[in-house]
Amino acid sequence: MKDKISIRDIVKSMNLTTRTLRYYEELGLITSIQEGRGNRLYDKDTLAKIVYLNELKNKGCSLKEIEGLLGNQCCNQKKDLLKNRIEENNKMIEFLQWQNSKIQEELTIIDKLDMVNIYLEIEKIPEQKFISFDEIHELSVDPDVEKIWNLENYDIREEKIYRIPLININNNLFNYDLTLYPHENGQFIINEGKYLVAYSREGLNQQKIIFDKMLQYIDSNNLLIESDIFVDNKFRIFCRREKKVITITKNFVKISKKRL
């Protein structure tokens, strides 16, 4: 009956690499017996430790955490570690769900803009609540880039919408005056209803073209404007022709049918 197992057999049985096992040795997590030609052998106790290490690794534990569990930490500390691992996993799951929703949304918009630079449609938008901040900026400026440029905090997951007062459009002033952040207790409300939505790849410096298209559509279809205009910077693409990054926008305004 054998009392040792070779590194080659462990690699084959456990789908590990020799590099991983040697790294465990370098960290002092396991020890081996070396026989001729540098062949590493492990006894049954060490094999049990390797199985335990692999088990923890598959549960997402870091080598530093694993090293602690091989020291003086008891079962209660392992319990705390695994609870923390679940919390971290749940955060990752939440992020991946958010990531997938954004990817799917981007694919949908790309399809809509397949043959046109501006795509218009009527959408029913549910009521949304926001916290609002007074921020006056030109529409041609990418606010996310400006935040980083001015050394402000920036979070890629932070949703925000910009409001442009209708009076500004009428006076050819292409500035937004409010930044809106979604919040369940927010006091600023975008009401439920039908909205004319314009998806565009014209870029931030071509907002007037988008607004003109929207106004033309409203006039030709006997519609009334019932809100200010809102702009949502959805994502960015790199334009090879212009050799720069262009922001894909979603502009929307509440509308209703004119009474004859």
Side-chain angles (χ1 to χ4, degrees):
M1 184 175 180
K2 67 179 181 181
D3 58 355
K4 296 182 183 64
I5 187 172
S6 71
I7 190 171
R8 187 181 297 106
D9 289 335
I10 292 177
V11 166
K12 184 178 179 181
S13 299
M14 297 184 64
N15 197 28
L16 293 172
T17 65
T18 56
R19 184 177 179 182
T20 297
L21 292 174
R22 286 169 181 160
Y23 186 54
Y24 287 168
E25 287 189 42
E26 289 175 13
L27 293 176
L29 300 177
I30 60 173
T31 57
S32 67
I33 301 168
Q34 293 195 32
E35 293 190 351
R37 298 183 180 178
N39 186 32
R40 284 175 161 79
L41 299 174
Y42 302 93
D43 60 27
K44 190 169 283 189
D45 286 341
T46 302
L47 177 59
K49 192 179 286 187
I50 293 170
V51 171
Y52 178 57
L53 291 173
N54 200 46
E55 178 184 287
L56 291 171
K57 183 182 175 186
N58 287 336
K59 289 172 183 171
C61 297
S62 69
L63 284 176
K64 185 176 181 181
E65 291 168 334
I66 291 172
E67 191 173 5
L69 290 176
L70 288 176
N72 297 320
Q73 296 190 32
C74 63
C75 290
N76 285 336
Q77 287 168 306
K78 181 183 179 183
K79 180 180 176 182
D80 291 339
L81 172 63
L82 294 179
K83 281 184 176 179
N84 290 336
R85 189 72 259 151
I86 287 177
E87 288 180 10
E88 291 299 317
N89 286 347
N90 286 336
K91 289 178 183 177
M92 179 58 69
I93 290 169
E94 181 185 348
F95 173 77
L96 291 174
Q97 289 173 337
W98 170 85
Q99 189 180 70
N100 276 347
S101 70
K102 290 301 175 185
I103 291 171
Q104 187 56 60
E105 182 183 34
E106 184 166 335
L107 288 171
T108 300
I109 295 172
I110 289 172
D111 285 341
K112 290 177 178 179
L113 293 172
D114 184 37
M115 302 297 291
V116 294
N117 285 338
I118 300 174
Y119 181 89
L120 297 172
E121 67 179 2
I122 304 294
E123 288 185 16
K124 187 174 181 180
I125 292 179
E127 180 181 279
Q128 301 172 67
K129 295 182 179 181
F130 299 85
I131 295 175
S132 62
F133 292 92
D134 295 329
E135 291 183 336
I136 299 176
H137 287 289
E138 293 182 12
L139 285 174
S140 59
V141 174
D142 187 326
D144 292 333
V145 172
E146 288 301 302
K147 276 181 175 289
I148 300 170
W149 187 262
N150 294 317
L151 303 180
E152 298 177 39
N153 290 332
Y154 170 73
D155 182 355
I156 192 173
R157 297 179 66 183
E158 191 173 58
E159 304 284 346
K160 45 196 171 295
I161 293 173
Y162 307 99
R163 183 189 77 169
I164 305 121
L166 194 59
I167 190 172
N168 284 14
I169 303 299
N170 294 334
N171 292 325
N172 286 319
L173 296 173
F174 298 102
N175 297 338
Y176 63 80
D177 67 342
L178 287 180
T179 301
L180 309 174
Y181 296 88
H183 195 283
E184 59 183 10
N185 297 319
Q187 298 300 307
F188 188 97
I189 297 174
I190 292 181
N191 293 311
E192 178 183 2
K194 290 184 178 180
Y195 285 75
L196 174 62
V197 178
Y199 295 99
S200 171
R201 56 181 173 194
E202 292 286 354
L204 294 176
N205 60 343
Q206 299 293 334
Q207 289 292 306
K208 186 177 187 307
I209 295 174
I210 303 169
F211 296 138
D212 285 346
K213 285 269 190 183
M214 294 176 76
L215 294 174
Q216 288 170 15
Y217 183 95
I218 287 169
D219 288 340
S220 62
N221 288 276
N222 294 316
L223 300 174
L224 291 173
I225 295 176
E226 293 193 349
S227 72
D228 293 318
I229 294 179
F230 301 96
V231 178
D232 186 355
N233 296 336
K234 302 307 293 183
F235 56 90
R236 295 162 181 82
I237 60 172
F238 183 78
C239 178
R240 290 184 179 179
R241 178 170 54 83
E242 296 188 28
K243 295 183 179 179
K244 66 178 182 180
V245 173
I246 292 176
T247 302
I248 305 298
T249 60
K250 173 185 177 180
N251 296 8
F252 56 101
V253 60
K254 191 176 183 186
I255 47 94
S256 64
K257 196 74 175 176
K258 281 183 182 178
R259 292 182 180 179
L260 299 177

